[in-house]
């Protein structure tokens, strides 16, 4: 029986029939690296620590975080794009690096040709805030002042084309308000500027709101995560809801074998249902709004088109 079996296997291999099922069955057989194109201590780093503590349960192998900050996210993203498409290198990024940067910088990769989505792990809705003692009691009052006093509102954001500038610029375009945009090096510095009175409004993620002398005026997105505060969806600003929230996707280099990609997608779907994962993410103040990779790839293309329009409107 053994010689016959060897002959059958040899024939199958010659015809290319055995390799793919075997590859699917054996994957993964070594640790997987998850590149984060951002620095230590940020929300992606914290999210990844939770993900990689539970995900190995469904892959049978460790998932190792590799922080690769630099060039606004391009350093780590380029490294992932150049990695072998074998399913052992993943990229944990966000939509502003993934789909917006291509419209404002010359990149050494094409995000939509270089990557395929594994899953969107979750999303984060920024909240437009003013100081607690601000004259503006509501979003409508802020808009009214901005229209009557073009350029006088000072909008502080966390960096050009980042998580705060994008929803702010989209909102200003929607309501036809001209404001002075003031960039800072991250969310911490711009929050300090707001509290010091150097800017009139900025954005913050929900986990930052607690314990701060802030007044939330508007939530970007669909879900009313702050009681009594309107959302951009409620106000009819659907474009802002689309492009203004931060998505946290896991991507793989394009060309990863379909059966391996499916293993990864299935593992992230199971991760999302894990009670420990749900509990740990809740402690971080994060949601677990999972989106399967095939569906998220459709959203990525729409994001790209919308960001192109936004950048064009700002450049005119």
């Amino acid at each position: 029986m053994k010689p016959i079996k060897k002959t059958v296997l040899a024939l199958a291999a010659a015809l290319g029939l055995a390799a793919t099922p075997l590859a699917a069955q054996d994957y993964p057989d070594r640790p997987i690296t998850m590149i984060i194109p951002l620095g230590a201590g940020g929300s992606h780093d914290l999210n990844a620590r939770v993900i990689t503590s539970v995900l190995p349960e469904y892959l049978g192998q460790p998932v190792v975080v590799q922080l690769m900050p630099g060039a606004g996210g391009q350093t780590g993203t380029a490294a992932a794009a150049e990695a072998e498409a074998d399913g052992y290198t993943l990229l944990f990024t966000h939509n502003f690096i993934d789909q917006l940067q291509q419209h404002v910088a010359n990149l050494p990769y094409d995000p939509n040709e270089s990557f395929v989505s594994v899953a969107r792990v979750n999303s984060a809705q920024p909240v437009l805030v003013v100081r607690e003692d601000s004259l503006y009691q509501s979003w409508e009052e802020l808009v009214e002042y901005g229209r009557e006093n073009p350029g006088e509102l000072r909008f502080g954001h966390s960096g050009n084309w980042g998580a705060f500038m994008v929803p702010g610029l989209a909102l200003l375009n929607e309501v036809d308000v001209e404001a002075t945009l003031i960039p800072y090096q991250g969310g911490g510095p711009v929050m300090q500027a707001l509290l010091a009175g150097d800017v009139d409004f900025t954005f913050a993620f929900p986990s930052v709101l607690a314990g701060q002398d802030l007044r939330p005026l508007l939530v970007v997105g669909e879900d009313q995560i702050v009681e009594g505060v309107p959302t951009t969806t409620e106000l009819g600003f659907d474009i802002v809801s689309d492009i203004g929230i931060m998505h946290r996707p896991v991507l793989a280099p394009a060309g990863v074998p379909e059966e391996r990609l499916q293993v990864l997608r299935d593992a992230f779907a199971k991760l999302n249902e894990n009670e420990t994962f749900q509990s740990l993410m809740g402690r971080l103040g994060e949601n677990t709004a999972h989106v399967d990779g095939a569906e998220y790839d459709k959203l990525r293309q729409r994001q790209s088109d919308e960001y192109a329009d936004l950048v064009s409107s700002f450049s005119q």
Side-chain angles (χ1 to χ4, degrees):
M1 294 298 293
K2 290 184 178 179
I4 295 175
K5 182 177 181 180
K6 288 181 179 179
T7 301
V8 171
L9 290 175
L11 178 60
L15 295 174
L17 299 177
T20 297
L22 185 61
Q25 187 176 23
D26 291 349
Y27 172 80
D29 62 4
R30 63 178 189 271
I32 293 172
T33 297
M34 178 183 286
I35 293 175
I36 302 178
L38 301 162
S43 65
H44 271 67
D45 186 15
L46 296 174
N47 274 255
R49 303 301 170 177
V50 173
I51 294 168
T52 57
S53 71
V54 181
L55 188 61
E57 179 177 338
Y58 303 108
L59 290 173
Q61 293 290 334
V63 181
V64 181
V65 172
Q66 184 174 359
L67 299 172
M68 295 186 67
Q74 294 178 35
T75 300
T77 305
E82 294 167 1
E84 187 173 353
D86 56 5
Y88 288 97
T89 300
L90 303 177
L91 177 69
F92 187 36
T93 186
H94 63 65
N95 45 310
F96 305 115
I97 293 175
D98 177 41
Q99 291 300 319
L100 191 147
Q101 279 195 352
Q102 62 186 315
H103 302 298
V104 296
N106 293 320
L107 303 177
Y109 50 84
D110 182 319
N112 291 312
E113 292 185 2
S114 298
F115 295 102
V116 62
S117 298
V118 174
R120 187 195 75 173
V121 177
N122 60 15
S123 62
Q125 295 179 235
V127 180
L128 189 150
V129 294
V130 297
R131 288 192 352 170
E132 182 63 38
D133 61 359
S134 171
L135 296 175
Y136 310 113
Q137 299 290 324
S138 66
W139 161 249
E140 289 77 14
E141 289 185 10
L142 185 72
V143 170
E144 181 180 1
Y145 180 86
R147 286 174 174 165
E148 293 176 354
N149 302 274
E152 290 193 18
L153 278 177
R154 298 165 300 170
F155 167 34
H157 61 81
S158 56
N160 288 337
W161 301 111
F164 294 166
M165 178 182 174
V166 172
L169 183 58
L171 274 170
L172 293 172
N173 284 347
E174 285 289 306
V175 296
D176 195 25
V177 166
E178 180 183 343
T180 298
L181 276 62
I182 305 174
Y184 290 84
Q185 296 298 313
V190 72
M191 182 56 61
Q192 293 174 10
L194 177 68
L195 295 174
D198 295 333
V199 298
D200 297 307
F201 70 95
T202 187
F203 290 86
F205 289 117
S207 57
V208 177
L209 296 177
Q212 299 274 20
D213 294 327
L214 302 172
R215 177 183 298 144
L217 300 184
L218 184 66
V219 173
V220 175
E222 181 178 356
D223 297 330
Q224 192 177 44
I225 58 175
V226 182
E227 186 177 357
V229 177
T231 69
T232 51
T233 299
E234 289 174 12
L235 298 179
F237 304 145
D238 292 337
I239 184 66
V240 183
S241 297
D242 276 347
I243 67 175
I245 68 172
M246 175 185 281
H247 299 268
R248 294 191 183 100
V250 175
L251 310 177
V256 61
E258 284 295 326
E259 66 275 4
R260 294 190 177 189
L261 179 61
Q262 194 59 52
V263 168
L264 291 167
R265 287 176 171 174
D266 289 346
F268 273 90
K270 293 174 183 176
L271 171 72
N272 191 63
E273 299 299 322
N274 183 282
E275 291 184 2
T276 299
F277 175 72
Q278 294 276 353
S279 175
L280 291 174
M281 293 298 280
R283 292 180 193 177
L284 284 180
E286 301 286 0
N287 64 51
T288 52
H290 172 270
V291 176
D292 182 70
E295 189 63 29
Y296 188 71
D297 268 335
K298 299 175 184 177
L299 176 59
R300 289 174 75 214
Q301 185 57 59
R302 190 168 81 242
Q303 288 172 351
S304 177
D305 295 340
E306 291 168 343
Y307 289 142
D309 292 341
L310 181 67
V311 171
S312 177
S313 69
F314 184 73
S315 302
Q316 291 175 356

